[in-house]
Amino acid sequence: MEGGGLGLEITELRLGLPGATAVVTGKSEKKRAFSDLTDGDDDRKAAAPVAKSQVVGWPPVCSYRRKNATAEGSKSRCMKVSMDGAIYLRKIDLSLHKGYSELVTAVEKLFECYGLGEGLKDEERGERNKLIYEDKDGDWMLVGDVPWKMFIESCKRLRVMKRSEAKDLGLSKERDFLRGTFQLKDC
Amino acid sequence: MNYFPDEVIEHVFDYVTSHQDRNSISLVCKSWYRIERLSRQRVFIGNCYSISPDKVIERFPAIRSLSLKGKPHFADFNLVPYDWGGHVYPWIVAMAKSKVNLEELRLKRMVVSDESLELISSSFANFTSLVLVSCEGFTTNGLKAVAANCSLLRELDLQENEVEDHRSQWLNHFPESSTSLVTLNFSCLKGEINLAALERLVARSPNLKTLRVNRAVTLDSLQKILSWAPQLMDLGVGSFIHDPDSETFYKLKNTIVQCKSIKSLSGFLEVAPYCLPAIYPVCSNLTSLNLSYALGIPASELIKLIRHCKRLQRLWILDCIGDKGLEVVASNCKDLQELRVFPSDPFGAGNTVVTEEGLVAISFGCKKLNSLLYFCHQMTNTALITVANNCPNFVRFRLCILDPTKADPLTQQPLDEGFGAIVQSCKGLKRLSLSGLLTDKVFLYIGMYAEQLEMLSVAFAGNSDKGMIYVLNGCKKLRKLEVRDSPFGDAALLADPGKYETMRSLWMSSCEVTLGACKALARKMPMLNVEIIDDSELTVDEALCGGAPVAVTADGDDKQKVEKMYLYRTLAGPRNDAPEFVCTL
């Protein structure tokens, strides 16, 4: 059933994944944003339409509450990142990244040092640089060993290190991170 | 006309406290107008741009308590650009200059600079109460001035403000002689607090009844504070994480048992669920519980907690409590009057946690319910009709279906009938927010039945101008109408220009209103400020950050659609602090 510009777009059937429709940028698109999203979407279990979060001010949760509801602990995890040989420290916000690959890409961009990703995956091969971090106990660890969520909680700062030095430091690969602490339930 | 001397009449007027009543008696005759205005101490101004500070001071020279509201409500949702206005500074300057004996200041959605706070603290020797709600523009430096200089301060209440932390150690600046605090709420502050200074401050404040701390206050500090203040009635917890086997935790449990006066609990900005049992002893006295900022508590723990709270009148909670959890609320909390259920994951898929079922359960169990804010994934007409029948006492009814144009999933029908039942049944309804698939019909019902309605919020609703016209014609007590993304245009806007002088304000964004119609309205009604805000150049990301858009003028093509319009009645004329992107027609 064709709409004909009478606002009947809301009933138009469309094939494709929810959220695959237009990302809102211009004002004329804003109005139609929700008509795009409601295509045949009466299945309670439908996947989250990505474009929903693009509409300003919806859902009407006040901005103070919104800011407090993001990321667990609602703290931005701003970390200093140093690189051997670089004069200036940079900063990176871990809470803005969803996982290791995003983090590595961000660090690579900051320092324009590519090849970190390879360093993570395989200790033997890889380029010259490795990404390491200092944890709450003051130990230097290889980035990538622990689950991401645990990493965010325990990371104090990051360092891009030359591979040769990393070996010398004898970075501990595994440690018992339950040692001496009670484990917070994963809520 | 007057059989009594003025002093007697004034004494009688002292018993008349509500703003509306005082406004009414001032209209009776000239003599009463004069007596009333000279004796009025408390003034409430719902729109800071509706009148100039000088006029207020001139009319009410004895003013001691001022309440002001600034930005329109939709500013809460990032729809109003950052620099729109709402500055309190001119008000402080005017009152300082006129040597007003200001004691209390309550501000909502205003821009408050450190300069303003410093001026308050240095201009008003009897200043006792500062309440800031959803404000911004100040830092902990401003708070430092208030703490240091307002020697009679009884109330410092900061609710949901954006405050920059400048590591000012502001709490340390309450002098040792400061012992008069009754309310201290700094839960919205992000930075660190000198815990020892806080403990000392609490220890020397025997009248402290309300204390709401921020996340920086740890559980063991809380324990010490509570041991100094067992008289507390309202407690906002900061961080509530500790080893439950530790001595500190044991001490805390014992201390809490001593706090027999706590009626209101909030905060838990950081919480480990296994620590919650420590508060069970105070639950049986609680009338107010706000866990809406307590992330990470699973439904099972929430339910266990609620079972202890039989006297709750107000509950603010996250939707992770689920429909089952709401059933427990319904069976336990028979005195419940106000319920707010917030989304824990506003953009999430639908780990569908709260639906119409939870609300229906509540309506069967909590017959005294009069105020609701409910975020859910879906709603049905049947459910709304049931709720309307069970709970005819609603004064505030705000429903937010996360997908705002979602139909009734059972029938695929709009929710017109459901909301119609609400307005028909709840004869005292003053505030209503709509969502879901809605046609002009719902507005017909609202116009017909919602006789006491004062505020209506509309989003993505209606088919034509008729919808808005039904409301403007029918709701005689309407004060605020805010509309977004709805097909109301020029015919609706211009249907009854005189109506807007009986209202505080009208907001319309992403509707069908044109520049020409706005200009026509402004020409016809000189007592209105018709502001147009043009931020269509912004990308969505910038809009979300409240970025500054381009300048806008009235010179555009009359046929072009106006993205955002805000109009309000005023005695002050066009404001002189409007930024570039706001044009008053």
Side-chain angles (χ1 to χ4, degrees), chain B residues 6-26:
Chain B
D6 287 359
E7 303 81 61
V8 175
I9 298 182
E10 188 183 315
H11 186 69
V12 173
F13 287 179
D14 280 349
Y15 292 94
V16 181
T17 48
S18 95
H19 296 291
Q20 276 183 324
D21 287 344
R22 295 222 43 140
N23 292 346
S24 300
I25 63 179
S26 70

Side-chain angles (χ1 to χ4, degrees), chain B residues 311-325:
Chain B
R311 294 213 191 133
L312 274 189
Q313 294 172 16
R314 182 196 300 151
L315 176 63
W316 290 24
I317 201 129
L318 292 171
D319 64 358
C320 45
I321 193 175
D323 284 332
K324 288 279 172 274

